[in-house]
Amino acid sequence: MSIPTPEAHVRQVVETVERRSPSEPEFLQAVHEVLDTLIPVLAEHPEFIEAEVLDRLVEPERQVMFRVPWLDDDNHVRVNRGYRIQFNSALGPFKGGLRFHPSVNLSVVKFLGFEQIFKNALTGQQIGGGKGGSDFDPRGKSRFEVMRFCQSYMTELYRYIGAQTDVPAGDIGVGGREIGFLFGQYRRLTNGHESGALTGKGTGWGGAEVRTQATGYGAVYFAEEMLARAGESIEGRRAIVSGSGNVATYVIEKVQQLGGRAVTASDSSGFIVDEQGIDVDLLKQIKEVERGRISEYADRRPGARFVSDGSVWSVPGELAFPCATQNELDEAGARKLLDGGVRAVTEGANMPTTPEAVALLQQAGVLFAPGKAANAGGVATSALEMSQNASRDRWDFEQSEERLHAIMRDVHDSSYAASVRYGRPGDYVLGANTAGFVRVARAMVDQGVV
Ligand code: NDP
């Protein structure tokens, strides 16, 4: 049997995915985004085509969907849908966060799980890719409602996870509080204290130092490396940041630690501009402690303003960090960033930039760091948490941050090296996809048809 050309092979795999998953736009977008960059790798490795690595890669090993019934504070029964997509375990246990947001559906969880495979491979650690979540909306819910929901969610999920099998963590709507509730129920159901079954735990009961900061800090470290290669730095530069959750908060903190000035933050109701530089303590007080809205920042900070209708990307700045959600930076937003003098765009969120916007920014010569490389610091630190749980060891903050920094340098360097090897130096989208893919593909070939 003759082997198809790489182009024909990719076309055929994409057509299969489109036929099987016609109503999963986010997943299709992620598949296109990765597969379109793999032609040069497949040309170099016909054995990947022969072993049908791509056909197997686009199909999750296992997908779990389940009912999550819970009681609200008025004793009304509520029902949500839960998901866990165990996408690929060639490199290690499935690993990836849980997202609780009303927009969660099968397509969103599959896109996130698919991206996670390559991201996790890029970290150089032994972790496979997975993702999960629910269409539950934690906003406006009491602490006890969130707890009852988490307990019900885990009552089904616990059958599928474990330190050697699948290790969930947080994502949108799932932070330290939710991981606590989920772990409490897991521990109760499994009659043990298998710490390694979840990451993002509290530092007093098995959590790793720096896990909270890791995704945001890691994204800024990646930006620093990317800028340094181009002879530039973060110091003295203005940063435009979207989101005001876990990732955005620690991007802002690290940008300012490195001498930059982050002047914006946002949530789904609008954005704030603070020309003095965001006051990170106030931001944390409002978003982490009080669970309030970003508009409250402008009420409490002299000189800051809140904008409810407009685009955060219209604020001028040399650095941009989209850190909220998928497809939040479209072509119109990218044009605004270019008008505002942007030099580098670093994705803190997963797939926040539309394909059209990525093309526009790259054509304009803007340095562009895709999320699967730039936001890999979170999962990398989660893998460090797994190691510490397995060895019952505990590293301090400095040691953990040093490890994170070294991992992000490696992620940058291997992405850059792959961009050179496959003919487009400095194209980090191509570099991250190909470097991650080669590692997973080799493992899949070695392990046979499974
Ligand atoms: P959080 O829940 O802590 O914060 C999310 C932020 O984004 C909030 O400000 C939220 O505003 C905003 N947001 C979410 N959805 C929307 C939407 N549809 N429209 C407008 N704004 C929205 O989540 P994280 O900071 O943890 O995650 C942010 C991104 O980073 C996600 O893409 C996630 O997948 C990615 N990521 C997170 C990692 C982690 O370690 N936490 C690791 C790697 C990637 P509002 O409160 O109004 O909804």
Side-chain angles (χ1 to χ4, degrees):
M1 200 180 77
S2 68
I3 299 180
T5 62
E7 290 82 359
H9 181 60
V10 165
R11 211 170 34 246
Q12 172 253 312
V13 175
V14 167
E15 278 167 14
T16 306
V17 178
E18 285 171 348
R19 198 181 60 249
R20 278 201 190 126
S21 309
S23 51
E24 296 173 10
E26 292 86 0
F27 177 52
L28 289 173
Q29 183 182 337
V31 167
H32 267 289
E33 193 268 322
V34 173
L35 266 53
D36 290 351
T37 60
L38 298 182
I39 306 281
V41 185
L42 297 170
E44 197 180 272
H45 294 278
E47 73 276 16
F48 293 165
I49 302 180
E50 214 167 358
E52 301 285 7
V53 166
L54 287 187
D55 303 64
R56 290 189 277 145
L57 202 54
V58 295
E59 192 61 27
E61 289 180 30
R62 185 177 297 113
Q63 313 183 49
V64 190
M65 279 170 69
F66 48 96
R67 181 175 66 203
V68 190
W70 54 281
L71 280 181
D72 69 16
D73 286 344
D74 298 323
N75 277 334
H76 290 137
V77 177
R78 305 278 200 105
V79 178
N80 285 96
R81 183 174 284 178
Y83 302 85
R84 185 69 184 168
I85 307 295
Q86 300 183 328
F87 227 117
N88 193 294
S89 61
L91 292 180
F94 304 105
K95 183 89 197 84
L98 300 173
R99 177 177 291 192
F100 293 168
H101 192 272
S103 64
V104 166
N105 57 35
L106 185 61
S107 173
V108 167
V109 188
K110 279 178 71 179
F111 118 64
L112 290 164
F114 187 68
E115 292 272 300
Q116 197 83 42
I117 303 169
F118 308 98
K119 178 187 311 191
N120 293 3
L122 269 177
T123 67
Q125 288 155 316
Q126 298 309 121
I127 40 178
K131 200 84 187 187
S134 172
D135 57 0
F136 174 75
D137 186 358
R139 251 178 39 200
K141 305 290 189 302
S142 72
R143 179 182 158 80
F144 285 116
E145 287 176 325
V146 171
M147 183 183 77
R148 286 193 293 273
F149 173 80
C150 288
Q151 291 175 338
S152 180
Y153 182 88
M154 184 53 83
T155 300
E156 181 61 27
L157 185 73
Y158 88 98
R159 304 165 208 282
Y160 308 103
I161 65 172
Q164 303 298 329
T165 318
D166 182 355
V167 185
D171 191 79
I172 292 178
V174 180
R177 177 182 69 172
E178 290 73 22
I179 292 292
F181 295 149
L182 290 163
F183 185 72
Q185 183 72 352
Y186 179 78
R187 192 166 60 71
R188 190 175 183 200
L189 289 165
T190 55
N191 188 30
H193 200 291
E194 195 191 6
S195 310
L198 282 168
T199 59
K201 300 182 291 294
T203 49
W205 43 276
E209 294 287 353
V210 187
R211 177 60 190 90
T212 307
Q213 296 84 354
T215 307
Y217 280 16
V220 180
Y221 286 141
F222 192 99
E224 195 185 24
E225 294 298 314
M226 182 170 74
L227 286 160
R229 264 221 92 270
E232 302 180 34
S233 80
I234 287 174
E235 202 175 348
R237 295 237 155 127
R238 279 167 64 96
I240 311 306
V241 181
S242 67
S244 52
N246 173 265
V247 180
T249 300
Y250 293 97
V251 160
I252 292 169
E253 185 165 279
K254 186 51 78 180
V255 162
Q256 325 232 99
Q257 284 174 7
L258 296 179
R261 187 153 45 103
V263 294
T264 65
S266 72
D267 64 18
S268 51
S269 51
F271 65 95
I272 49 145
V273 185
D274 183 350
E275 291 294 341
Q276 306 162 75
I278 302 287
D279 177 339
V280 182
D281 290 338
L282 178 59
L283 181 68
K284 287 182 188 168
Q285 176 63 28
I286 292 169
K287 300 300 289 191
E288 285 180 6
V289 180
E290 298 170 20
R291 295 180 183 270
R293 306 303 293 157
I294 198 65
S295 55
E296 294 164 38
Y297 180 97
D299 299 338
R300 283 147 76 168
R301 172 87 160 163
R305 63 194 162 90
F306 172 66
V307 183
S308 62
D309 57 341
S311 165
V312 68
W313 311 122
S314 58
V315 181
E318 298 90 7
L319 311 174
F321 291 90
C323 298
T325 194
Q326 62 271 10
N327 294 328
E328 54 166 317
L329 171 52
D330 60 8
E331 206 175 340
R335 280 189 204 288
K336 291 191 176 90
L337 282 177
L338 290 172
D339 290 345
V342 75
R343 271 298 298 140
V345 175
T346 307
E347 293 187 329
N350 284 310
M351 208 170 74
T353 318
T354 64
E356 298 76 24
V358 175
L360 187 67
L361 292 165
Q362 287 184 322
Q363 278 155 21
V366 170
L367 298 168
F368 182 82
K372 72 168 75 62
N375 70 31
V379 74
T381 308
S382 274
L384 302 182
E385 183 169 326
M386 289 162 70
S387 310
Q388 291 167 71
N389 291 156
S391 60
R392 300 202 177 278
D393 198 1
R394 199 155 184 279
W395 306 343
D396 63 19
F397 193 94
E398 286 69 31
Q399 194 182 1
S400 306
E401 197 181 354
E402 240 167 63
R403 286 292 295 269
L404 168 67
H405 201 161
I407 290 169
M408 294 314 295
R409 274 198 210 102
D410 283 350
V411 171
H412 171 273
D413 292 352
S414 52
S415 302
Y416 185 79
S419 77
V420 173
R421 180 181 179 110
Y422 294 111
R424 294 216 298 268
D427 180 342
Y428 289 94
V429 175
L430 171 98
N433 287 345
T434 51
F437 170 72
V438 167
R439 194 162 168 239
V440 182
R442 285 206 174 113
M444 289 175 72
V445 170
D446 290 350
Q447 293 171 26
V449 179
V450 288

